Amino acid sequence: MAYPYTLSLKKSVAVRMDGPDLLLAGSDGKGVRLKSPSPAQKNILTNLTGGGLTAEQLVEAARRAGRDADPARLYYLLTVLEQKKWLCYTLAPGGQKLATLEPLSAAFTLCDAPVQGYYRLSRFACLRRLDREMVLESPLGHGRLYLHHGPAAALAALLAEPRSAADLAGTLPFAGAPDIEAFINLLQSAGALFPCDGEGRIAEDGSPPLRQWEFHDLFFHSRSRAGRHDNVLGGAFPFLGEIPPLPGLKPPMSSKRIALHRPAAGELEAMGREFFSVLNNRRSLRERGREPISAKQLGIFLYCTARIQQHLHASPEQGHHYEASLRPCAAGGAIHELEYYLTVSRCRDIEPGFYHYDPRDHLLEHLSPLGAPQERLLADARMAMGGKDCDLLITLAARFQRVAWKYRSIAYALIMKNVGCVYQQMYLVATALNLAPCALGGGDAEYFAQASGLDYYTEGSVGEFALSGR
C-alpha cells in the first residue's frame, strides 16, 4: 500500500470476547480467533472500529498501548485482516474524508498501480444512495466505493470522458496529485474505472460478451447470485416485526363470481391418470434415499428434460437468423441457452466427478474429478437444503449472449423464466421416476466459474437443482 489510506474494519465484521480469546466473524460465517490477545492487538482492533488511522499510525498507537509490543506481529494482524477482505480503505486528504473503498468478496484486490495515461468510467458503473451515503459500484468489480462529499461524486462524473490525473488536478482544492491518483486507483479497485486508449475506448468496449450485456442485466445477475457482493442472501425476514406479511390468499375482488368445474372422482384417471398423479405429487424432497440414483434413471431424467429433439438450422433468407432447437422444455425464441453441468457425488455406474451434458448426442462429458471448487458447489447445495446431502447437483449455466444477441431489455429476465420452466420440467420428470428432486434458491457464480473454468460473463450459473435416489 503505497498511498497512506486510513483503515477501518468493515461494519459487517463482528468482534466479541469468547473467554480469554477474541473472535472476529465476517458476514460469510468465516472467522478468526485471536488466542489471549495482547493489549496492543486489542488496541489495533479498537482503533480499526473507529477508523481514521493509517497502518503506521495504528501500529504506533498499539505499541504505546502495549509497551514492548512487537511491530512485526502487529503488522501481521493487519495483513490477516486484509487477506480476509475485512479492511476498508479511506482517502482523506488533509484529514477530510473523500471516499472509502469496501471489499465485497474474496476476489477483491486493491489496485496500487502507477497512474499513467487516460482513464474512463465503465458503462456498468452505478452511482446510488445507500442509507445516508452515496456509493459507486459495478458488477465488474468486487468492491464498493462510498463517496463522502459532493466533490467526490463530481470528480467521478468527470471521468465519464477520458481524463488523465493531470486533467483532474486542481478540481479539489484540498487534494494534491497523489490524492487524485489514489482516487483513480480506488475507482479501479471497485471495477468502475479502466485505462483507455487514444480513442477513449476501454477494454469492455472491445469485449464481445460485455458488449452484449445490458447494464441492468449484468447488475441483476451479479447481485442475485453469490460471489460479487456481501449482501444478505436468502430468507432473512428483514421486515419481521415491522411490516405485516401479505396474506397467503387475496380477498375476493368482485361480488360477481363464477364457479368452475371440479373434476369428479375417476375423471382425471380417465383423461390420463399417470400425468395428473405426477402433477399432484410433485414435492421438494431433501432426504436422499439409502440407494443412490442410477445411471439409467439419470439418463431417462436428462432425456425427458434437456435432449435436443430437433435441431433448427439458421436460414437468414427466411428470417431465421440463428440456430435454434426443439426440446422437451419450453424456451424463449427456441434459443435454449441453458447448459447442464453435473457435480456427481454418488451415482450407480457413474464415477463421482464434474460433467457436462451433451443434449445432441445424449451423453455426459467428463470434465474433471471432484476437487475443491466442485466440493464447494456441493457444500452450498447442502447448506441450502438444511444440511442434507444430494446424490448430484445440476447447475444450469446460461450462454448469455445467445439470448442477448436477439433480445433487448428482457434478455436476463427471459433467462430467469427459462430456468423456471426447466425447474418445473425437472420436478415432474423426477416425480414420475420416483426420485428426490429439490430446486435451490441461489448459488455462487464465482465458485461455478472456478469449477468449470468458464468466463463469468460468457457462460455463468443461473440455477441449481439437487437430485437423489428416493
Side-chain angles (χ1 to χ4, degrees):
M1 234 191 306
Y3 186 87
Y5 298 108
T6 63
L7 306 178
S8 58
L9 203 61
K10 286 181 65 173
K11 293 179 181 178
S12 60
V13 178
V15 182
R16 66 178 179 87
M17 294 300 300
D18 183 32
D21 299 341
L22 197 60
L23 292 180
L24 290 84
S27 57
D28 58 359
K30 298 179 181 178
V32 169
R33 177 185 291 272
L34 294 180
K35 294 186 176 180
S36 301
S38 66
Q41 290 175 315
K42 291 181 180 179
N43 180 269
I44 276 190
L45 291 172
T46 298
N47 285 328
L48 279 173
T49 302
L53 297 178
T54 66
E56 290 75 11
Q57 291 168 340
L58 284 166
V59 171
E60 183 57 34
R63 289 184 65 189
R64 290 197 300 269
R67 297 182 183 177
D68 298 328
D70 182 4
R73 291 177 62 86
L74 299 178
Y75 276 112
Y76 176 74
L77 173 59
L78 289 175
T79 300
V80 169
L81 298 176
E82 187 173 30
Q83 290 175 343
K84 288 286 184 183
K85 317 302 179 183
W86 287 351
L87 292 183
C88 298
Y89 307 88
T90 297
L91 173 61
Q96 187 168 346
K97 287 177 65 176
L98 186 67
T100 297
L101 180 65
E102 177 185 37
L104 295 181
S105 78
F108 170 84
T109 55
L110 179 66
C111 178
D112 200 22
V115 174
Q116 300 172 339
Y118 287 78
Y119 297 84
R120 194 174 194 179
L121 281 175
S122 165
R123 68 182 180 89
F124 296 104
C126 173
L127 181 66
R128 65 186 180 94
R129 180 181 69 84
L130 181 61
D131 297 327
R132 294 177 175 233
E133 300 269 17
M134 290 300 294
V135 297
L136 195 151
E137 54 191 323
S138 165
L140 302 181
H142 298 266
R144 176 185 293 133
L145 190 61
Y146 290 83
L147 303 179
H148 304 298
H149 274 287
L155 191 61
L158 290 174
L159 288 160
E161 292 291 335
R163 310 271 184 184
S164 66
D167 293 334
L168 301 175
T171 53
L172 299 180
F174 55 87
D179 306 311
I180 297 295
E181 293 177 2
F183 185 71
I184 287 175
N185 273 336
L186 290 182
L187 286 169
Q188 290 190 89
S189 301
L193 186 78
F194 297 91
C196 58
D197 61 21
E199 298 179 353
R201 290 166 51 88
I202 57 179
E204 70 189 44
D205 297 326
S207 166
L210 288 177
R211 284 180 60 197
Q212 295 175 78
W213 273 104
E214 293 191 75
F215 163 77
H216 63 279
D217 282 345
L218 187 53
F219 200 85
F220 179 38
H221 175 63
S222 69
R223 292 324 188 246
S224 61
R225 311 279 301 169
R228 294 205 170 189
H229 65 87
D230 62 353
N231 303 328
V232 176
L233 192 68
F237 300 98
F239 302 106
L240 184 65
E242 295 184 23
I243 303 173
L246 291 176
L249 301 176
K250 288 185 65 174
M253 297 178 66
S254 171
S255 59
K256 187 176 181 180
R257 294 154 66 83
I258 302 172
L260 296 173
H261 173 70
R262 289 179 179 269
E267 187 175 346
L268 291 179
E269 284 78 356
M271 296 170 61
R273 183 187 63 80
E274 291 81 3
F275 172 76
F276 288 105
S277 175
V278 166
L279 199 65
N280 289 323
N281 286 313
R282 184 220 60 80
R283 295 290 183 274
S284 291
L285 301 176
R286 295 170 178 82
E287 291 279 356
R288 69 180 184 178
R290 184 176 303 169
E291 293 297 321
I293 186 175
S294 69
K296 180 178 179 180
Q297 289 172 316
L298 179 59
I300 296 173
F301 175 86
L302 292 171
Y303 186 85
C304 294
T305 57
R307 84 183 191 282
I308 291 179
Q309 297 167 311
Q310 184 179 353
H311 183 206
L312 306 175
H313 296 280
S315 180
E317 64 278 3
Q318 297 181 5
H320 305 306
H321 298 286
Y322 59 89
E323 291 185 14
S325 62
L326 301 181
R327 310 190 192 191
C329 193
I335 289 173
H336 289 286
E337 75 287 351
L338 299 177
E339 299 287 332
Y340 293 56
Y341 292 85
L342 282 68
T343 308
V344 178
S345 175
R346 65 171 197 168
C347 178
R348 194 159 60 245
D349 300 324
I350 294 180
E351 289 293 322
F354 189 60
Y355 297 85
H356 171 253
Y357 174 63
D358 179 344
R360 180 181 57 188
D361 295 329
H362 186 56
L363 51 80
L364 289 180
E365 300 171 316
H366 181 263
L367 302 181
S368 71
L370 291 183
Q374 293 80 20
E375 293 289 358
R376 283 198 294 262
L377 297 179
L378 291 173
D380 280 354
R382 185 183 308 117
M383 183 173 64
M385 294 199 297
K388 306 295 184 181
D389 287 312
C390 61
D391 286 349
L392 60 91
L393 176 70
I394 301 174
T395 301
L396 299 177
R399 291 194 291 154
F400 301 112
Q401 286 73 50
R402 280 277 295 161
V403 182
W405 189 85
K406 176 179 180 179
Y407 294 103
R408 301 297 288 174
S409 296
I410 65 167
Y412 194 74
L414 188 59
I415 290 171
M416 293 295 98
K417 292 169 185 173
N418 292 341
V419 170
C421 289
V422 169
Y423 276 178
Q424 180 68 351
Q425 185 85 358
M426 286 179 162
Y427 266 123
L428 295 179
V429 174
T431 302
L433 291 172
N434 200 32
L435 297 172
C438 185
L440 307 183
D444 194 309
E446 290 288 343
Y447 284 166
F448 175 76
Q450 295 171 22
S452 64
L454 296 169
D455 176 61
Y456 181 94
Y457 307 110
T458 303
E459 185 176 338
S461 63
V462 291
E464 287 79 17
F465 195 92
L467 190 64
S468 298
R470 185 168 176 175

